[in-house]
Amino acid sequence: MEITVMITDQQVQKEQPIMLTSPQNPTPIETVFLSNIDQTVAFPVETIFFYEVSPSRKTSALDILEMMKKSVAEVLLRPYYFMAGRLNFNLQTNRLDLICNNAGILLVGATSSLSLKDLGNVSIPNPSFKHLIFRTDGYKNLIETPLLTIQVTRYKCGGFSLGFVTNHCVLDGKSAAEMFLNLASICRGEGLMTHILYNDRTCFRARNPLQIKYPHKEYTKLEEISAFSSSFTSPNQPSSSPLLQLSDNHDYKLFTFTFDMLNSLKNKAMTKCSTFEAIVAHVWRSRTKAVFEDPSEMSTVLFAVDIRSKISPPLPDGFIGNAIITASASAKVKDLAEKPFSFCVAVVKEAIDKVTEEYLRSVIDWLEVYKGVPSTTNGNFYVSAWWKLPFHELDFGYGKPIYGGPIVSGMDEFVLLLSDGKSMGNGGGVNVWIVLEKEKMDRFTMHVFEI
């Protein structure tokens, strides 16, 4: 699948942003501790949702901006008051803090001369969808940069899109999805789904004394980061916005794996495995064949593992912070190419099983000393599973979205697993979004459908 529609500035007219603040921000100003896991992901996450509106309801679609303003300012920002705060780099502790200063979130209205059908297949990631969000890279420093922006774009057909920008160090994917679900429930007139939020992240403090019991090659030390470009962030190098430009030297493609194809992969694994384990092993193997030339080299795939159920006591419902750590699976290029697919799956499964509470604590202690970010270097890459998030449930009073997902960058260190846009999470297929240099993409295309 190729990107066929590119939106221009002239096709989306943005109105003056409105700053919304919390009606009950704590006094005096509260400073929230951000864990070492939070510190590694201080970058914006940009998400877009598209909604069709029936002809009989077209006029009410004009009210979506006012409804959003009222829902956020009067209800959402009571429990989520910290989203109206700002990040600050504390020079004394050498780490980021979340300052609950009620500086506000930004709501932007926009109108487009396009219809939704003019956008083509909206399930295909499209960097020009950046016009449908209010990006945060225009701010000079962190203490001025909003942690949440919302853009409501209304189309000439009566439909609309909602574009969100959140900062990953404040919310992980699960927490962000829960906030969106709460906002949708408020807009439908059903009120908050979650009344009590837990923003205390001190359960993830480093130990004293530190106990680093594993090598943690899945992370690169802070002192080594300057040697390569990364979308990830270190505490003293937070990112203002991911890169969105497209390179002429790269190809950008979406590969669809149907439900039957995914089942074939799982059967080929010769052991019980999840869809995630099967597709990660398959993409890792195919990408390794495309990217590496030396069979003696090591190839590594990285991915997030949710640790909510892996710690004791378990995290409470409503926990807001990042409850994920990076895991990595590594093998020789030769082994990945020549050994059966079951070998690749076994290595991925082993990497997930390795993440115990003791391993998590060791990661936190390692990050306390070395800072650093996930190690997407030397041909290695990070798989991000967006298709598991419940974005298909986001009904703001106009029905469920025709599609919801990320606005993607042109970074070849990421592979995204997305909803196929048809079943939207109901046991359907998975779309794999990948960026590679043209020759490598040709080789990847040749291998990826060897199922």
Side-chain angles (χ1 to χ4, degrees), residues 35-169:
S35 75
N36 289 342
I37 307 171
D38 297 325
Q39 304 278 329
T40 67
V41 287
F43 56 82
V45 179
E46 302 170 338
T47 318
I48 186 79
F49 301 87
F50 297 94
Y51 294 86
E52 290 178 325
V53 178
S54 64
S56 62
R57 301 192 66 188
K58 277 186 182 179
T59 53
S60 62
L62 298 175
D63 301 330
I64 185 73
L65 183 66
E66 193 59 35
M67 180 179 69
M68 189 65 63
K69 177 182 175 182
K70 187 179 176 71
S71 298
V72 171
E74 296 181 10
V75 185
L76 186 77
L77 284 180
R78 290 179 182 272
Y80 285 94
Y81 63 88
F82 51 89
M83 293 305 298
R86 296 292 184 266
L87 294 177
N88 183 54
F89 185 71
N90 188 324
L91 294 172
Q92 292 180 312
T93 60
N94 201 34
R95 56 191 300 127
L96 290 169
D97 291 327
L98 172 55
I99 311 297
C100 300
N101 59 1
N102 209 15
I105 74 153
L106 280 180
L107 175 65
V108 182
T111 55
S112 175
S113 59
L114 301 170
S115 294
L116 283 174
K117 67 178 190 310
D118 296 330
L119 303 182
N121 183 353
V122 293
S123 71
I124 300 176
N126 187 331
S128 78
F129 288 167
K130 66 184 180 182
H131 297 293
L132 308 179
I133 57 171
F134 192 85
R135 302 183 70 205
T136 57
D137 52 353
Y139 293 86
K140 294 179 181 177
N141 51 52
L142 271 180
I143 200 64
E144 295 178 4
T145 306
L147 299 177
L148 171 62
T149 71
I150 305 171
Q151 180 173 319
V152 180
T153 305
R154 290 154 291 185
Y155 301 89
K156 69 177 183 181
C157 60
F160 65 94
S161 62
L162 298 175
F164 296 94
V165 181
T166 59
N167 194 293
H168 203 314
C169 79

Side-chain angles (χ1 to χ4, degrees), residues 93-296:
T93 60
N94 201 34
R95 56 191 300 127
L96 290 169
D97 291 327
L98 172 55
I99 311 297
C100 300
N101 59 1
N102 209 15
I105 74 153
L106 280 180
L107 175 65
V108 182
T111 55
S112 175
S113 59
L114 301 170
S115 294
L116 283 174
K117 67 178 190 310
D118 296 330
L119 303 182
N121 183 353
V122 293
S123 71
I124 300 176
N126 187 331
S128 78
F129 288 167
K130 66 184 180 182
H131 297 293
L132 308 179
I133 57 171
F134 192 85
R135 302 183 70 205
T136 57
D137 52 353
Y139 293 86
K140 294 179 181 177
N141 51 52
L142 271 180
I143 200 64
E144 295 178 4
T145 306
L147 299 177
L148 171 62
T149 71
I150 305 171
Q151 180 173 319
V152 180
T153 305
R154 290 154 291 185
Y155 301 89
K156 69 177 183 181
C157 60
F160 65 94
S161 62
L162 298 175
F164 296 94
V165 181
T166 59
N167 194 293
H168 203 314
C169 79
V170 182
L171 302 163
D172 67 7
K174 184 175 186 293
S175 301
E178 287 174 354
M179 182 178 72
F180 296 157
L181 288 167
N182 269 298
L183 179 54
S185 180
I186 297 164
C187 288
R188 292 196 308 270
E190 298 173 18
L192 281 163
M193 298 167 57
T194 309
H195 291 273
I196 300 175
L197 302 178
Y198 291 88
N199 203 16
D200 183 352
R201 304 152 194 247
T202 54
C203 60
F204 290 140
R205 278 194 188 278
R207 293 173 290 194
N208 186 12
L210 300 174
Q211 302 174 52
I212 303 172
K213 297 185 177 181
Y214 301 90
H216 301 300
K217 293 180 181 179
E218 66 271 24
Y219 289 95
T220 297
K221 297 176 182 178
L222 174 61
E223 63 199 37
E224 299 169 0
I225 292 175
S226 59
F228 71 97
S229 172
S230 174
S231 298
F232 288 102
T233 56
S234 61
N236 64 344
Q237 294 176 316
S239 168
S240 59
S241 194
L243 297 175
L244 275 157
Q245 57 264 49
L246 299 177
S247 164
D248 291 336
N249 299 325
H250 287 74
D251 273 343
Y252 310 81
K253 289 191 176 181
L254 195 74
F255 296 91
T256 296
F257 288 81
T258 64
F259 181 74
D260 289 340
M261 292 164 73
L262 294 171
N263 272 342
S264 294
L265 280 176
K266 290 164 78 171
N267 291 334
K268 192 178 173 184
M270 304 295 288
T271 184
K272 186 177 181 181
C273 69
S274 67
T275 299
F276 176 78
E277 290 162 348
I279 194 70
V280 167
H282 180 66
V283 171
W284 178 32
R285 188 187 207 192
S286 303
R287 191 180 180 281
T288 297
K289 291 178 180 179
V291 170
F292 290 88
E293 296 179 3
D294 183 349
S296 66

Side-chain angles (χ1 to χ4, degrees), residues 250-252 287 409-412 414 433-437 441:
H250 287 74
D251 273 343
Y252 310 81
R287 191 180 180 281
S409 72
M411 302 296 284
D412 60 6
F414 278 99
W433 168 258
I434 186 166
V435 181
L436 285 172
E437 293 172 8
M441 183 66 83

